[in-house]
Each structure stands twice: as C-alpha cells, then as structure tokens.
Amino acid sequence: MTANEQKLKTPDMDRLLGMLEGHRSIRRYTDAPVPPEQLERIIACAQMASSSSHMQAYSIIGITDPELRDKLAELAGGQRHVALAPVFLVWCADLSRFSDAVSSRGGELEPSTEYFIVATVDAALAAQNAAVAAEAMGLGIVYIGGIRNDMRAVTELLQLPPLVYPVFGMCIGVPAESPDQRPRLPLEEMYYENRYSPEKREERLEAYDEQYRSYIRDRSGGGRDSAWTQEMQGRNAYPPRKLTGLLREQGFRFDD
C-alpha cells in the first residue's frame, strides 16, 4: 500500500470497496418491504450519476401493479423474482424530455446514433448508482435484461412514448440467499496499458475456464461441469433479440 493510500484509508472506504468487490446478483428476497424513504434515496443517488452534457436522458418506472408485474415476469422469460421482489424498476433510455426541451426553444431534435448511445449510457450509469446505493443499505439487486425479449410488448404495457425504450429492469429487496460469487476474468484480460493487447488471451481464457469450472462444480454440488467459454458459446446460440425495428418505430435513428 502506498503512503497516499494509507493516508486515505478509512473504515468507510474499506466498507465501500469491500461492498463493491463482494457484489452478487440476488434473485431471492424476503417478504420485508423496501421503505419508501429508502427507495427515494436510492433514486436520488441514481440521479447524481454522471450524464453526458447534463442531458439526464433516462427515466425510471417503478412497477407496483401485481398484474403488470406478472406480465413483465412472463415477458422476461418467466423470471419469478420480477413478480416477487419487493421493488421492480424498469430503466428507460429517454430522449423525449430532451426533444421537448429543444422544442420549447423553437428547435427540433434530430435523433442520431450518438444520442441513442448517450441515452442508453445515461440509463446504465444511473442504474449502477442505484445498485450501489441499494447494496450500501444492505439490500440486494439483480439486473433483468430479459425485458428486451419482447421489447414491443413491454413498450406497449408501459405506454412508452416516442424516443423512449426499456433498457433493462432491476429487482431490489432484502436478500434471502447468499450465493457464491462468480469469478471474474483476470485483470490482465480486462485492463491494458496504452494499446489493446490480446496476445496472451488463449492461455488466460484456459486458466479462467478451469477456475470457472471449479466454481460451477461447487455451486451445483458436482452436478454440472461447464467452462466460461463453453457458456459463452451457448449464449451465442440464443436466438437474437429483434430490437432495431421497435427502436425505429419509437423514433430512434441510426447513422448510415
């Protein structure tokens, strides 16, 4: 540890870093509700995330209607935690507010690939702030990309206006499980200096496959044996989600 790190080291810093390093996706929750004041603070933390040009190009929809929850759970691939978690949020990339602001000054928004990326990144950054805030309160979260399985149906259910699309969902609640942490790729495979450097990727992935295979065996009690590259091959075999048609219908434009 450097002298500067030692100077900055505090119990609060250790707790924060330990929390970030200990993240796990939680899919089972107790029946304890998330108090409104906690949820409000989680959303307030989300709002403080960085945003390109302060556009704040996202919106959050809290789903409290049980029937709507059930429909979203079904659309997300039958993920029951979507229906049962104390809190379920849908994070939307949203250019409609930006468009209205431009119109209020006599202008007209020209949607572009850049603005699409800005809105999507804004939603992701805000959601990650919310995830960290929730975990700091002792809650657990899991992201739900499955709401993009049928993005048109979700868009209709949530009555999303033009220039808005659902990026992902998020379950929040008091954890009723403590799953083992999935091992991450080695740092050397994720962080490069000055240039992209995949030269030793094959051997790194071979070593990671063995580490991942051990995790899967332990998690399944020996019932499964699967490497990370094997799971990625399986993931690649999934039918692709059809997104661009709905996105264009919603008014998003992509540069040729």
Side-chain angles (χ1 to χ4, degrees), residues 34-44 137:
V34 175
E37 58 271 20
Q38 277 193 316
L39 181 57
E40 287 176 10
R41 193 163 188 192
I42 289 169
I43 300 302
M137 297 176 185

Side-chain angles (χ1 to χ4, degrees), residues 96-110 115:
S96 69
R97 188 182 302 110
F98 177 43
S99 178
D100 288 344
V102 171
S103 296
S104 73
R105 295 292 177 170
E108 183 178 353
L109 177 66
E110 293 290 339
Y115 282 151

Side-chain angles (χ1 to χ4, degrees), residues 98-188:
F98 177 43
S99 178
D100 288 344
V102 171
S103 296
S104 73
R105 295 292 177 170
E108 183 178 353
L109 177 66
E110 293 290 339
S112 65
T113 303
E114 167 66 10
Y115 282 151
F116 171 79
I117 292 173
V118 163
T120 304
V121 171
D122 269 12
L125 292 175
Q128 188 60 15
N129 257 31
V132 172
E135 291 182 344
M137 297 176 185
L139 303 171
I141 71 101
V142 64
Y143 285 93
I144 306 295
I147 66 165
R148 298 192 304 276
N149 288 350
D150 189 342
M151 206 158 63
R152 178 173 283 101
V154 173
T155 296
E156 293 172 355
L157 279 174
L158 302 184
Q159 300 178 25
L160 301 182
L163 297 178
V164 181
Y165 88 92
V167 186
F168 45 70
M170 179 187 288
C171 296
I172 305 176
V174 177
E177 64 176 352
S178 182
D180 292 337
Q181 189 178 47
R182 288 177 184 265
R184 265 45 177 183
L185 285 159
L187 177 66
E188 296 81 7

